[in-house]
Amino acid sequence: QVQLMEPGGGFVQPGETLRLSCTASGAIMNILNMSWYRQAPGNQRELVATITGNGDTNYADSVKGRFAISRDGAMNSVYLQMNSLKPEDTAVYYCNMFLVETGSFSQYEDKWGQGTQVTVSS
């Protein structure tokens, strides 16, 4: 079974930088979109950034200009470079991939990581 692993969270001060990573393991035929979501306590899960297989990116207004999403197709990985972090960026961050596994009955489906905590505080 395909699994998404999310190392990279942590505790940082405002203005500092953090880089998240997410790697999919398993028998993967192809990955289309890769995304990062986040969810703060009491809030809905929101889309932070998306990158397509062609490298096109989209960002939430709240992170545009500060965050950068990238991917490594050979490693089945997606990254989120987070600069100039603010306290309001504090949340659990989840990676998401729209992928298809190798197999006779394979279809594209959403896969989610377990989430990693990012805390920005003085």
Side-chain angles (χ1 to χ4, degrees):
Q1 298 291 327
V2 172
Q3 293 185 329
L4 274 55
M5 305 300 294
E6 298 184 47
F11 183 94
V12 298
Q13 293 184 330
E16 293 186 340
T17 294
L18 199 62
R19 187 172 189 259
L20 304 182
S21 64
C22 177
T23 299
S25 62
I28 301 171
M29 180 180 294
N30 192 39
I31 304 175
L32 295 181
N33 293 344
M34 297 182 177
S35 300
W36 287 96
Y37 290 75
R38 68 185 181 187
Q39 187 168 20
N43 293 347
Q44 296 183 353
R45 185 174 298 187
E46 65 173 341
L47 178 62
V48 176
T50 296
I51 184 167
T52 71
N54 294 326
D56 297 323
T57 59
N58 289 289
Y59 298 93
D61 289 340
S62 59
V63 306
K64 190 174 183 179
R66 298 189 297 119
F67 290 9
I69 187 171
S70 60
R71 64 187 289 163
D72 184 335
M75 298 298 296
N76 296 327
S77 298
V78 61
Y79 308 93
L80 187 66
Q81 180 71 35
M82 303 184 292
N83 300 321
S84 302
L85 282 163
K86 304 175 180 180
E88 50 264 44
D89 295 319
T90 296
V92 177
Y93 284 72
Y94 300 88
C95 66
N96 168 268
M97 300 185 187
F98 191 57
L99 56 80
V100 59
E101 300 179 54
T102 300
S104 298
F105 306 99
S106 60
Q107 291 187 341
Y108 280 95
E109 58 185 342
D110 276 313
K111 293 291 185 180
W112 292 88
Q114 293 299 309
T116 185
Q117 177 70 47
V118 173
T119 301
V120 185
S121 176
S122 298

